[in-house]
Amino acid sequence: MKSITEKLTDIVGTAFESCDLSREMGFVRVADRPDLAQFQCNGAMAAAKAAKKNPREVAQAVVDYLKNDKTFSKLEIAGPGFINLNVTDEYLAAHMVEAAGDDHLGVTAVKPDTVVLDYGGPNIAKPMHVGHLRAAIIGDSLRRIMAFAGYKTLGDVHMGDWGTHMGMIVSEYIRRSNNANNTPTITALVPVTSNWGQSQSSFFTIQSSPNLMDDLSVMYPLVSAACKEDEERKAEALDATVKIQNKEPQYYNLWKKIRDESIIGMKANYELLDVHFNLWKGESDVHDLIPPMVDDLKMRGFAMEDDGAVIVPVKKNDDKKEFPPLILYKRDGAVMYGTTDLATIVERMRDYKPVKIIYVVDQRQHLHFEQVFRAARLSGIAPADIELTHAGFGTMNGADGKPFKTRAGGVMRLEDLIAMGLEKARARMEEAEIAKDFSATEKEDVAHKVAIAAIKFADLQNQRHADYVFDLDRLTSFEGKTGPYLLYQAVRIKSLLRKADYLIGKTANQLIIQDEDRPLALLLTQFPDAFDAALNNYAPHHLCDYAYKLAQEFSRFYSSCHILSEENEALKSSRLALCALTVRTMETALGLLGISVPERM
């Protein structure tokens, strides 16, 4: 079905067309001043300019045509030619009955093309930390939004699983295991032969160990520092990196085991956040694609040698400042992040044929993606009709305005942040006497939903590219613009409907719109507009703003009219249907943000 603004645009567009004006000028949107009108059309000014007429004269001609349409209860011209519109309560009620019967609440489906979303980006062999939070939350929300619109979505975690940092770690394992006088201190490293130097088929192994990530988090900074200070140690790491990438069994198998164990840890963290991926790929997956890709780019003249390196010049003639080339191979033959990102586009175009590839990555990486995108466009790896977008985001800061850290000043692990949120949610629930009579299992489930709602809504309510301050005390409150407040309001409506024995999914056959009902009814019609803004701008904050307005408007509606105590059965049934549509819309909006609503609190 069409949204109410789409329906009104069709009607007003026909009016413009009847006046020999462009139909596109009849675009209708929700009014900026709801105290003056419900909807508005600003097309008369542009239409008048094209027709060389007076704007109010054009607006008057359109209004005169629309007066014969029973859709409108009010038509007026304001200012230089704005057309203000109100619809009749009967038209509003009929539209809402139709929306209540629509699975997508009035959102028009798009063509089911494939979209790849690249978000997450954790490195293997390192614990996940708060720096991974925004990519996960924003990316997963965009995946949900695009899937709801009708796209076939593929969320790719795109791990950092290749490169020198892995050479450092693997070489350290080997160094320790080859030292006969040193019992390995890494609890996950277990020798399988007594003769380390001679055994090639079973050089070493790693047992699955819950301590592996803890061991690696201690090991990596020490090894990284050692490689900076000791050239011999650095050479060992580089040699190990090459051997891993050449898939020499003793090196590659150890790398693979570390990768597998790291993924187990990643999945546990993402599961806690209710963040999901379709693809668990990393830089290593495209390693074999790089040599033929570079050879092809060189053969076609897009890549060239430059002081021992291989580059793709991507500067445009109209660039107003110097724009660096994309480096494919450094002088020592090592590949760069840009190389693997370009090869990943090759793989994605070959395997999935997407119409869009969206990268949800820190805003500070914008230049990098501009280089990669230009190289992909120039070379034809990504044709001109394929959208490549860097949906960048700002940083999550502490109260001091600096990137969020632990009290000791270190980078906080993601699992520790989630645990903090859970602890605070339990405390808030106890203060508010929420779920006090629930079983321990249900109480913990509600606490987890409250914590995740607090963390996610705190992030997503901000414009994506903006930095924001993470204040757990404020964000776990059941008052104000917070995730827990929205959960509480949704659960409140569910409780009301249970008392009335009214099913949320029940089809509304008829609605009665009175003065008390109209503001809530009109706001419910705006869900498709909020959704389209979130979809088209890759900006979940539009849905956050909408959900909060809906919760506030329902609160006003609940306090201003009778619902369960209404004596007129037809009006009571209508208002219960309005409540059911409200909670369904709110749950849909929150679900698109990755927030789950409990059945009760």
Side-chain angles (χ1 to χ4, degrees):
M1 66 171 287
K2 291 184 177 181
S3 69
I4 195 166
T5 51
E6 287 175 321
K7 290 178 180 178
L8 296 178
T9 293
D10 284 345
I11 295 169
V12 178
T14 299
F16 271 83
E17 200 170 47
S18 73
C19 299
D20 296 323
L21 300 166
S22 172
R23 185 179 186 87
E24 283 68 33
M25 298 301 174
F27 177 76
V28 174
R29 61 186 177 88
V30 175
D32 294 329
R33 291 281 305 275
D35 56 321
L36 298 180
Q38 297 168 356
F39 304 94
Q40 69 185 61
C41 172
N42 301 338
M45 280 79 78
K49 184 177 181 180
K52 297 181 180 179
K53 294 182 178 180
N54 181 286
R56 286 187 66 89
E57 179 186 342
V58 168
Q60 188 62 58
V62 171
V63 167
D64 289 343
Y65 181 91
L66 293 172
K67 283 179 179 177
N68 298 318
D69 195 307
K70 295 181 179 180
T71 299
F72 302 102
S73 62
K74 172 183 173 180
L75 292 162
E76 67 177 22
I77 302 167
F82 301 115
I83 301 174
N84 290 336
L85 312 159
N86 282 4
V87 296
T88 65
D89 288 338
E90 292 75 19
Y91 184 88
L92 178 60
H95 173 81
M96 294 195 63
V97 168
E98 185 183 4
D102 179 37
D103 290 341
H104 281 65
L105 298 169
V107 170
T108 303
V110 300
K111 186 180 175 183
D113 291 319
T114 297
V115 174
V116 175
L117 295 106
D118 184 316
Y119 56 100
N123 291 319
I124 70 168
K126 296 181 184 179
M128 290 180 65
H129 54 77
V130 293
H132 296 116
L133 184 67
R134 295 211 74 187
I137 290 175
I138 297 170
D140 186 63
S141 178
L142 293 180
R143 179 188 60 80
R144 293 168 185 260
I145 289 168
M146 298 190 84
F148 190 82
Y151 288 107
K152 178 185 176 183
T153 57
L154 293 172
D156 187 357
V157 72
H158 198 69
M159 296 170 285
D161 63 352
W162 216 229
T164 308
H165 81 287
M166 287 310 305
M168 291 179 185
I169 290 168
V170 168
S171 63
E172 178 65 12
Y173 272 122
I174 295 170
R175 172 180 280 249
R176 296 187 184 192
S177 65
N178 278 337
N179 187 342
N181 298 319
N182 179 28
T183 301
T185 58
I186 307 301
T187 58
L189 182 65
V190 179
V192 294
T193 69
S194 58
N195 192 346
W196 293 86
Q198 295 178 9
S199 174
Q200 295 299 313
S201 61
S202 54
F203 196 53
F204 40 71
T205 187
I206 284 186
Q207 290 182 334
S208 295
S209 168
N211 299 319
L212 176 61
M213 296 311 297
D214 291 332
D215 293 335
L216 289 168
S217 68
V218 172
M219 177 204 280
Y220 180 73
L222 296 175
V223 178
S224 179
C227 288
K228 289 176 183 176
E229 296 170 4
D230 185 343
E231 287 298 321
E232 181 183 345
R233 185 68 192 82
K234 181 180 178 181
E236 286 181 16
L238 292 173
D239 180 61
T241 302
V242 172
K243 289 178 177 177
I244 293 168
Q245 295 178 351
N246 288 340
K247 299 186 180 179
E248 292 190 21
Q250 60 269 44
Y251 289 83
Y252 183 79
N253 291 341
L254 178 55
W255 166 83
K256 190 174 185 305
K257 186 62 178 178
I258 294 172
R259 184 183 191 272
D260 292 345
E261 291 293 323
S262 296
I263 289 174
I264 291 172
M266 289 176 199
K267 287 185 174 180
N269 274 288
Y270 285 129
E271 188 64 33
L272 286 172
L273 283 173
D274 195 17
V275 166
H276 304 281
F277 298 91
N278 308 95
L279 305 171
W280 287 83
K281 295 203 166 201
E283 295 164 334
S284 62
D285 288 283
V286 298
H287 181 71
D288 293 341
L289 295 178
I290 291 173
M293 176 190 75
V294 175
D295 289 344
D296 176 65
L297 292 174
K298 288 169 72 175
M299 182 186 71
R300 294 192 290 130
F302 294 110
M304 61 188 65
E305 301 276 348
D306 182 67
D307 194 22
V310 178
I311 65 168
V312 178
V314 292
K315 188 178 186 301
K316 296 179 181 177
N317 292 332
D318 58 353
D319 284 333
K320 295 181 180 175
K321 60 182 180 179
E322 197 60 35
F323 203 94
L326 180 70
I327 301 174
L328 300 178
Y329 284 132
K330 295 199 300 184
R331 277 177 287 183
D332 61 3
V335 299
M336 306 285 283
Y337 286 123
T339 323
T340 55
D341 279 338
L342 192 61
T344 300
I345 296 177
V346 171
E347 181 196 47
R348 287 168 175 167
M349 294 306 302
R350 180 195 69 191
D351 294 348
Y352 312 120
K353 298 176 176 56
V355 297
K356 302 173 187 276
I357 306 178
I358 314 299
Y359 294 81
V360 185
V361 184
D362 192 317
Q363 186 68 30
R364 291 169 290 188
Q365 298 297 317
H366 186 71
L367 174 60
H368 164 80
F369 283 106
E370 182 65 19
Q371 289 172 297
V372 173
F373 295 168
R374 287 188 180 194
R377 296 276 190 227
L378 248 146
S379 62
I381 287 174
D385 61 342
I386 303 301
E387 179 186 333
L388 300 174
T389 294
H390 173 214
F393 54 80
T395 57
M396 170 181 148
N397 297 326
D400 59 359
K402 297 178 181 179
F404 193 80
K405 295 183 180 296
T406 64
R407 290 181 181 177
V411 177
M412 181 175 286
R413 288 193 181 194
L414 187 54
E415 60 194 67
D416 292 338
L417 178 71
I418 297 169
M420 281 174 55
L422 189 54
E423 182 181 356
K424 182 62 70 173
R426 293 189 193 108
R428 290 287 194 186
M429 288 167 59
E430 190 170 340
E431 289 170 12
E433 296 188 344
I434 289 174
K436 63 178 182 178
D437 298 326
F438 290 10
S439 68
T441 300
E442 187 178 6
K443 196 172 189 177
E444 192 65 10
D445 179 66
V446 172
H448 182 76
K449 286 183 169 69
V450 169
I452 297 305
I455 291 169
K456 287 189 172 182
F457 195 82
D459 189 299
L460 296 172
Q461 68 174 295
N462 304 282
Q463 292 191 23
R464 172 172 43 79
H465 59 269
D467 300 343
Y468 76 98
V469 173
F470 186 85
D471 180 352
L472 200 54
D473 285 332
R474 180 178 64 82
L475 300 172
T476 52
S477 173
F478 284 94
E479 297 178 354
K481 192 176 181 181
T482 69
Y485 167 75
L486 294 176
L487 293 189
Y488 184 77
Q489 287 290 62
V491 168
R492 181 187 186 189
I493 303 172
K494 287 185 176 187
S495 175
L496 183 153
L497 292 170
R498 274 196 301 272
K499 288 178 183 176
D501 197 25
Y502 193 99
L503 296 176
I504 290 176
K506 182 178 177 180
T507 302
N509 296 320
Q510 186 177 4
L511 288 176
I512 302 170
I513 304 297
Q514 297 193 340
D515 289 346
E516 298 89 346
D517 314 286
R518 194 177 300 111
L520 179 59
L522 284 166
L523 187 56
L524 284 167
T525 68
Q526 293 174 26
F527 172 71
D529 301 296
F531 177 85
D532 285 346
L535 174 69
N536 296 330
N537 298 292
Y538 306 122
H541 77 272
H542 290 289
L543 286 172
C544 293
D545 291 345
Y546 176 78
Y548 181 60
K549 287 178 185 175
L550 190 57
Q552 287 184 306
E553 187 55 50
F554 178 82
S555 186
R556 182 211 59 79
F557 167 75
Y558 183 78
S559 61
S560 66
C561 65
H562 297 286
I563 301 175
L564 294 179
S565 60
E566 176 57 53
E567 294 181 358
N568 182 316
E569 285 300 319
L571 184 56
K572 178 180 178 179
S573 177
S574 174
R575 286 180 173 160
L576 286 171
L578 206 56
C579 292
L581 186 56
T582 299
V583 73
R584 185 177 151 212
T585 304
M586 192 178 295
E587 275 200 287
T588 299
L590 292 175
L592 294 171
L593 301 172
I595 295 172
S596 299
V597 179
E599 284 305 305
R600 58 184 193 140
M601 287 173 67

